[in-house]
Amino acid sequence: MTLVELADRVGVTVVNLSVLKNGRARAVRFSTLTRICQVLGCQPGDLLSVRPGG
């Protein structure tokens, strides 16, 4: 699946999805995270990680 297709399915812009993908987001809406997981068939823990000092 392309980034453009995922953005369309999730209902966010490609720019916003790219920010999330590249780890530059300061926050993510629960609704966006939920929708990404629904589209990809995953759980939030599959997408998130904790960085030391971050």
Side-chain angles (χ1 to χ4, degrees):
M1 179 181 315
T2 67
L3 200 61
V4 173
E5 186 178 355
L6 181 59
D8 281 344
R9 289 185 183 190
V10 171
V12 297
T13 66
V14 174
V15 172
N16 285 342
L17 196 56
S18 181
V19 167
L20 290 171
K21 176 181 163 271
N22 293 316
R24 294 189 318 261
R26 292 180 179 227
V28 60
R29 292 176 187 252
F30 284 119
S31 59
T32 301
L33 182 59
T34 299
R35 187 68 184 131
I36 290 170
C37 288
Q38 288 171 341
V39 170
L40 295 178
C42 64
Q43 294 295 314
D46 298 330
L47 304 174
L48 302 174
S49 64
V50 178
R51 294 184 192 170

